[in-house]
Each structure stands twice: as structure tokens, then as C-alpha cells.
Amino acid sequence: MVSEVAANAGSNATILPEPVRQRVLALAAQALGAMPATDIPAPLRRFASFAPAKRAKLSASVLGPILDTDEHFRRLIAFEVRREHPELGDAVAEAVPTPSADPAEVAALAYLLRPDDWQARVAEAADLPKAEPKADDEAIARLGEQLDQARTETRQVRERLREQLAEVKAENVTLRRKLNEARQRIAGLQSDLADRTVAADTADDRVDAARAESERELRKLRARITELEAIEHAARRTAGQEREFASVRTRLLLDTVIEAASGLRRELALPPGGELRPADTVAGVEPSVESVGRSAPDDDPSLLDELLALPQVHLVVDGYNVTKTAWPSAPLHSQRQRLVTALGALVAQRRIEVTAVFDGATLSGPVQLNPPRGVRVRFSPAGVTADEVIRQLVRAEPAGRPVVVVSSDREVADSIIAMGARALAASTLTARLARG
């Protein structure tokens, strides 16, 4: 490609003195690094990223012919060179004499800028005594290095100035923001001052409003006092109900003791008086008396009859534990109804208190159940098992009242026995109910 560019130059190439040619190449190579890649001819683009001195040395064989043949590229180079050398470039472009300037420098600028007398200036440079090429090269290299250093320093100064300018702009933005905040605070203070002035002018209105607010608070306090008095009255009523419930428990226990004593007197055939009778002085062997419930096993229905004969007895039935023993294949609603119906017949026979407890966890809605008179039915609430409801029923009874719990659950039986109740298996009740 280098040979093609050199060949295209042809005979139209301008012959420059060597010092002028070297200076033209140095100036063009320096300007080449500041140009956009789109403005650089393709053969020179690979040299654009080199250092200025290395760029001038390596691109000389291509750069010179392109400057001679490409008028547009030469004008772009001339624009960059004139921007880098404004004083001398303006003087050369305007044909102003520059006696103190280096003739080779003037000729190189004239070749690139092409003023009207550029050929004469190049010719004047050709008449100068020729220096040693090596010395010229060394001088050009030193000048190039000095120029690179000066340009580097210039760029650094520009960067510092840009940074300082950015800092000043940022500080300006900060000051503007603070000024706006101060203005807003002043506006707020002025608004607050106006509000306070209005408030001071309407002090009487505020006093009236405060008085009205105090009256409203007083009414609220009076309403609260009334509410607390109602709560106190309800608490007293609840306490009275608790005392009444305790009295009921006491009366029930007293009735139980009295009926138990009467039954024991009848069972033991005790005389009505407490004095010693004449016949009691006659020696003899008395018959043995068997206690209630000692002769029958725990699963014998007759044992249930004996326990139900106790005064004021309360029979508690573990519902599903009994129904699944008696009628395991029947639906649950049928099991419940059959059990409470059979318990109703038992109540009619014995005149006892009966409570049937079912587990409410299996229910999906309201239960349709018609218990007969005298049979109490309870379903365990959410989160509570039927076993726990049975224990609560046993704990609710006064100590000393006979309570019989029918459940084959060993854990339930052990817990209610520990509380003083009697436990029977579900099969005992089912056998008793089957007997009718």
C-alpha cells in the first residue's frame, strides 16, 4: 500500500528542502494524533495511535505523498497545525514577515497553509546553508520531545482546569440548593409567623375551644364512670351467681350425704334410736353384710345397676367410645341418636343425672339431635377433645358426690379415678342397654 501511495504521487509531488520536509512531516504527524479516525486516510490510521516522534518516523514514507496528493487531508492537517501554532500560523497565513522565526518552520507552515507566497517561502528556505542531517534529526527529535512534553503539560493543565471547573460547578449547584432551602425556610418562618399572629389574634376563640374540649372530656369521663359502675354491677351479679352455684353444689352434696346415710341405714337395718337395746346384750354370731358392688366383676351390667342405685349419682358417658363399641358399622349421626335414646330409657328407670359427651372435631356443621328428657348432650369445642370435657365435668362435681364415667379409654379412666370418680368399660353400658 505504501508503494501504491508513492506511485500515485507521480511527478506532481512538491520537492521540499530536507529540513522543511522533516518539519512538515513532524507537524503533520503531531496533528494526526488529534484528528478523528474518520478524517484520517486508511493508510495512515495504523500510525495514529503511535507516539508523535515514532509516528513521524514510521509514517514519513506514506504521509508525505498523501499530503502532496490529498488536498482535503492537507487542509485538515493545516487546520490542526494552525490551532497548535496560532501566532506563527496566523502570521504565515496572512503573509506577515517573521524575521525572528526559523525559516524552515515558516516554510513548513507555508507549505501546509498555502498562502499566496508559500512557494517563495519554501524557496527561501532552500537557499539556507545545509546542516548536517544527523544534527537536524537530533534537533528535530529534541524539539519534538519538547513539543510533546509541552503538549502533555498543556493537557494536564487543561484537565486540572476542567476538574476545577467541575468542582466550581458542583459547588455552585450546592450553593444554589442551600439558597433555595434557605428561601424555603424563610418562607416557612414567615408563614409560621403569620399563623402565630392569627393565633394570637384569636386567643379567645382558642380558649372557648379548650373549654368545649374540657367539657367533652368531662362527659367522656362521666360515661366511663357509668360504664365502670355497670361492669361492677355485672361483677357483683356474677359473684352472686358463683355463690348461688356454690350453694347448689353444697346442697347437692348434702342431699347426697343424707340419701347415702338413709340408704346405709336401710342396708344395715340400723335401729331408729341411738340407745342400746336389751336384745343387744345377748351374745351371738351376727351375719356378714356384703358391701355394694363387691360381688360383681367390672364388666357385669349388675355392677352398673348397683352404682346407679347410689344417691345423687351422675353418669358421664364417653359417646363415641360407647357407640363405636355397640354399633361400629352405623353412621355417626345414627350412633348418636341410638345412644341418647337408650340413655333416656335408663333415666326413666333410674331417675339419675346423665351426660353424654361427643368429640366435636369431626363435625362440619350444626348437629341435628333430639335428646330425650333428662339426658344432657355436650360436644367438645374447637381445639378441645371429648376426654378433656369429661375431666372438666368430673372436676365440676363437689367432692363426695358419686360420679360414674363410662369409657374404655385407659387414659381417661386413670385420670378420672385419680379425681375420685368410678370408671366402667363401654361394654358394661352396652350390655346394660341391651338388657333393657
Side-chain angles (χ1 to χ4, degrees):
M1 183 175 290
V2 174
S3 61
E4 292 178 0
V5 174
N8 292 334
S11 58
N12 295 327
T14 302
I15 299 175
L16 298 174
E18 185 61 23
V20 176
R21 189 182 74 84
Q22 293 293 334
R23 188 57 188 153
V24 167
L25 293 176
L27 292 174
Q30 184 68 34
L32 190 66
M35 294 175 61
T38 55
D39 294 338
I40 300 175
L44 293 174
R45 289 176 184 172
R46 64 190 185 91
F47 302 107
S49 60
F50 294 173
K54 184 177 181 181
R55 189 187 310 133
K57 182 177 180 181
L58 297 180
S59 66
S61 60
V62 181
L63 183 58
I66 292 178
L67 287 173
D68 282 336
T69 57
D70 192 339
E71 183 67 15
H72 176 69
F73 176 65
R74 181 193 60 74
R75 289 179 180 177
L76 294 176
I77 291 293
F79 176 78
E80 292 292 337
V81 170
R82 187 171 180 178
R83 190 176 65 177
E84 293 292 334
H85 304 275
E87 296 182 0
L88 186 57
D90 292 343
V92 172
E94 297 173 2
V96 177
T98 55
S100 61
D102 184 6
E105 183 79 11
V106 173
L109 289 173
Y111 172 78
L112 294 173
L113 298 176
R114 298 294 173 96
D116 294 338
D117 61 344
W118 72 274
Q119 293 178 341
R121 290 179 181 269
V122 171
E124 290 175 1
D127 296 336
L128 296 175
K130 296 182 180 180
E132 291 296 330
K134 184 175 181 181
D136 290 342
D137 293 341
E138 292 177 355
I140 291 172
R142 286 195 301 272
L143 290 174
E145 292 176 357
Q146 293 174 1
L147 182 60
D148 294 341
Q149 182 177 1
R151 288 178 175 173
T152 301
E153 293 176 354
T154 302
R155 284 194 297 270
Q156 292 175 352
V157 171
R158 288 178 180 174
E159 292 295 330
R160 287 197 297 271
L161 291 175
R162 289 193 186 98
E163 293 176 357
Q164 293 175 0
L165 179 60
E167 292 176 357
V168 170
K169 289 181 178 179
E171 185 178 0
N172 187 25
V173 171
T174 303
L175 291 175
R176 286 179 179 275
R177 186 178 66 253
K178 291 182 177 179
L179 178 60
N180 291 332
E181 293 176 355
R183 288 175 177 173
Q184 292 176 359
R185 286 197 298 271
I186 291 173
L189 291 174
Q190 290 176 347
S191 176
D192 184 62
L193 178 60
D195 294 341
R196 290 178 181 273
T197 302
V198 172
D201 294 337
T202 59
D204 293 338
D205 295 338
R206 288 188 287 110
V207 170
D208 294 339
R211 183 181 297 108
E213 181 66 22
S214 300
E215 292 176 354
R216 284 196 296 270
E217 291 296 331
L218 181 60
R219 287 194 296 270
K220 289 181 181 180
L221 291 175
R222 288 173 178 171
R224 182 58 178 167
I225 292 173
T226 303
E227 181 181 356
L228 292 176
E229 290 176 349
I231 293 174
E232 181 184 5
H233 180 69
R236 289 177 178 176
R237 186 171 60 253
T238 303
Q241 292 174 353
E242 291 291 337
R243 288 193 298 271
E244 183 179 357
F245 180 66
S247 300
V248 171
R249 288 166 56 93
T250 304
R251 285 199 302 271
L252 181 60
L253 181 58
L254 181 59
D255 293 341
T256 301
V257 172
I258 293 173
E259 291 187 16
S262 300
L264 183 61
R265 174 179 292 177
R266 288 193 301 271
E267 184 72 23
L268 299 179
L270 295 177
E275 300 85 358
L276 184 63
R277 301 294 178 172
D280 293 332
T281 60
V282 179
V285 178
E286 297 181 357
S288 61
V289 180
E290 296 181 353
S291 61
V292 176
R294 298 293 184 180
S295 59
D298 287 346
D299 58 351
D300 189 346
S302 61
L303 176 59
L304 178 60
D305 287 333
E306 294 177 359
L307 292 174
L308 296 182
L310 295 174
Q312 300 295 328
V313 65
H314 185 186
L315 177 63
V316 181
V317 180
D318 188 349
Y320 288 132
N321 188 271
V322 174
T323 61
K324 291 180 180 179
T325 301
W327 313 287
S329 59
L332 290 181
H333 65 87
S334 178
Q335 293 181 16
R336 291 192 295 265
Q337 190 61 53
R338 292 179 66 175
L339 176 61
V340 297
T341 301
L343 291 175
L346 187 61
V347 170
Q349 295 173 7
R350 291 290 184 173
R351 303 294 181 184
I352 58 175
E353 181 181 357
V354 177
T355 303
V357 182
F358 296 96
D359 195 346
T362 59
L363 300 178
S364 59
V367 179
Q368 298 297 331
L369 187 64
N370 297 317
R373 182 187 299 273
V375 178
R376 183 187 299 111
V377 178
R378 292 290 183 268
F379 288 94
S380 63
V384 180
T385 63
D387 298 345
E388 181 58 31
V389 175
I390 292 173
R391 296 187 185 96
Q392 293 175 5
L393 289 171
V394 174
R395 282 194 292 267
E397 294 296 343
R401 185 187 183 186
V403 181
V404 179
V405 177
V406 178
S407 177
S408 296
D409 189 331
R410 189 69 260 171
E411 184 178 354
V412 175
D414 292 342
S415 62
I416 62 100
I417 290 173
M419 290 186 283
R422 180 64 185 267
L424 292 179
S427 59
T428 306
L429 179 60
T430 56
R432 175 63 181 80
L433 296 177
R435 192 181 67 188

